[in-house]
Amino acid sequence: MINVALIGLGYWGRNYLRVLQNIEGVKLSYVCDSNPEALKGVPSNVKTTLDYEEIAKDEDIKAAFLATPASTHYKIAKLFLEQGKHLLVEKPLTMNVKEAFELAKIAKENKTILMVGHIYCFHPAIQYLRKLIKNKKLGKVFYGIAIRIGLGPIRQDASCTWDLATHDIAILDYLFNIMPIYVTATATTFLQKDKNIHDYAYIHLEYPEMQFAITTSWYAAEKIRSWYIATSKYLIKFDDMNKEWPLAIYQSNIEKIKQEDLIKKQSEIYKGKLYMPRIEKEEPLMKQVEHFINCVRFNREPLTNAYQAIRVISILEAVEESIKKGRKIGVKSYDIE
């Protein structure tokens, strides 16, 4: 039995609370939140505290889940790792690359597992897509579009780029295992102008052989979580809001048409078959938590480790620089492994 603790009972913390009570071989021993009202819903057999340092000092706690605001991640994670606790930190790991490197170093020195909550890397549909890409089934990838919008939750300490676009950047890293060369981004602030927190952003990523665009906002009339990928063989849609059929794969005949005949025969491009693969209905958060526990139990490197977080954060830093300077920015490459 592995004794674990949960720090933070906000939007994601509540989800972790539910899942952790249903993981075999795991005992949720402690829950912490700075708001006493948030702790009222915690089961009576679980200890509660307002002070996360109390948990960090408890030798019976082997691992912890950190779901506090992003701006607090570095300080709290540093303490837990130094105390020898295995740690799963909600995305983003930190708000800059330097702090992410420091946490990775501390984890390595203390022989602790440090994992990041890039939840879509555990989504069955995204994992299905990765297999297709890895096995070179899709042909040449031309471009992709991600739309991640909805009404809330609106953050007070991080812009929509760090809160929402992080998901799509992590998915890109997981699917293609390459870094973009350049980033061009624009953003708008209208709800919290005094804090200069971006509520809407458009991000364009240039890779060696493809382009990808991300539109994100937490102030929109409809919740949309969709991806579109265009390749030389298929046109693909991933819709996270469609729980029955999240993937639609349209066969394209574009490779069979000569370039000089493209306009004349363009209707033939779309005459291919539609594939809607059966995707297992597994909760990504449950799979993510189970993966972390297995990494702790068997001393394995997590799929979404600190080095993936560093790659994602380095792109987000380039996004912020592009927004600030109003121009294309080169993405820094780090020797991280």
Side-chain angles (χ1 to χ4, degrees):
M1 184 68 67
I2 298 176
N3 290 321
V4 304
L6 171 62
I7 300 94
L9 275 180
Y11 181 82
W12 274 108
R14 290 288 172 186
N15 290 319
Y16 277 104
L17 178 63
R18 170 180 54 80
V19 167
L20 286 170
Q21 295 175 78
N22 294 284
I23 301 289
E24 188 175 345
V26 171
K27 180 184 178 183
L28 180 59
S29 300
Y30 251 119
V31 172
C32 172
D33 196 277
S34 59
N35 179 11
E37 291 297 314
L39 296 172
K40 288 182 178 180
V42 176
S44 58
N45 63 331
V46 179
K47 295 179 184 177
T48 60
T49 180
L50 302 174
D51 183 7
Y52 62 82
E53 293 186 15
E54 180 182 337
I55 299 175
K57 295 174 184 177
D58 192 325
E59 295 181 358
D60 291 332
I61 300 298
K62 188 171 184 179
F65 295 80
L66 181 56
T68 57
S71 60
T72 68
H73 286 180
Y74 171 73
K75 180 181 178 181
I76 300 174
K78 183 174 183 289
L79 174 63
F80 274 75
L81 294 172
E82 288 175 340
Q83 293 295 322
K85 313 294 186 190
H86 303 292
L87 196 60
L88 192 160
V89 183
E90 250 311 303
K91 59 79 191 165
L93 174 60
T94 61
M95 298 296 289
N96 61 68
V97 167
K98 180 183 177 182
E99 291 179 347
F101 265 115
E102 287 183 20
L103 292 183
K105 181 182 178 182
I106 294 169
K108 186 175 183 179
E109 290 173 348
N110 288 276
K111 297 180 179 180
T112 54
I113 302 297
L114 176 57
M115 179 172 158
V116 188
H118 292 154
I119 192 169
Y120 279 90
C121 297
F122 299 92
H123 195 297
I126 296 298
Q127 292 181 334
Y128 184 94
L129 260 183
R130 186 173 186 264
K131 288 179 183 178
L132 293 180
I133 293 168
K134 193 174 182 181
N135 294 330
K136 300 181 180 179
K137 299 287 187 182
L138 300 182
K140 179 179 174 59
V141 178
F142 296 139
Y143 74 88
I145 299 170
I147 303 173
R148 188 172 299 276
I149 62 174
L151 185 55
I154 297 167
R155 307 299 184 184
Q156 297 182 43
D157 67 332
S159 293
C160 64
T161 49
W162 289 85
D163 181 50
L164 297 176
T166 305
H167 285 303
D168 302 295
I169 294 170
I171 294 172
L172 281 163
D173 181 86
Y174 174 67
L175 289 180
F176 298 103
N177 194 31
I178 53 174
M179 289 286 286
I181 303 170
Y182 297 105
V183 167
T184 306
T186 59
T188 305
T189 300
F190 42 82
L191 297 178
Q192 301 178 79
K193 289 186 177 181
D194 57 325
K195 297 179 180 179
N196 196 31
I197 293 175
H198 303 129
D199 305 294
Y200 163 85
Y202 170 79
I203 301 165
H204 184 80
L205 304 173
E206 296 181 43
Y207 289 84
E209 295 185 351
M210 73 172 186
Q211 309 281 316
F212 204 93
I214 302 170
T215 297
T216 185
S217 177
W218 49 41
Y219 187 68
E222 180 184 6
K223 184 176 182 179
I224 298 176
R225 300 288 186 266
S226 295
W227 265 49
Y228 301 86
I229 300 175
T231 81
S232 59
K233 293 184 177 180
Y234 299 98
L235 297 168
I236 302 164
K237 179 183 180 181
F238 164 61
D239 182 1
D240 191 32
M241 303 310 294
N242 187 336
K243 303 305 178 184
E244 290 296 324
W245 303 100
L247 271 182
I249 303 174
Y250 299 83
Q251 187 180 41
S252 167
N253 292 320
I254 197 167
E255 287 188 328
K256 300 176 183 178
I257 302 173
K258 293 181 181 179
Q259 191 163 352
E260 59 267 26
D261 297 330
L262 187 62
I263 302 302
K264 183 171 62 177
K265 297 183 178 181
Q266 61 183 289
S267 63
E268 295 180 20
I269 296 173
Y270 309 106
K271 289 184 178 179
K273 296 179 180 178
L274 166 62
Y275 301 92
M276 299 185 75
R278 173 67 67 182
I279 303 297
E280 294 182 22
K281 293 181 180 179
E282 299 177 285
E283 184 182 1
L285 184 61
M286 181 72 74
K287 291 183 67 176
Q288 177 177 277
V289 171
E290 288 175 340
H291 178 77
F292 173 66
I293 294 300
N294 283 331
C295 289
V296 171
R297 185 172 280 126
F298 302 110
N299 193 31
R300 295 172 180 166
E301 185 69 16
L303 172 66
T304 54
N305 59 22
Y307 300 110
Q308 187 197 37
I310 288 169
R311 294 192 295 271
V312 170
I313 294 168
S314 68
I315 298 169
L316 286 166
E317 285 191 336
V319 167
E320 292 301 314
E321 186 178 354
S322 178
I323 292 170
K324 183 178 180 180
K325 295 183 177 179
R327 60 177 173 84
K328 181 188 292 188
I329 298 294
V331 180
K332 294 179 182 177
S333 181
Y334 295 93
D335 184 14
I336 57 179
E337 294 191 72

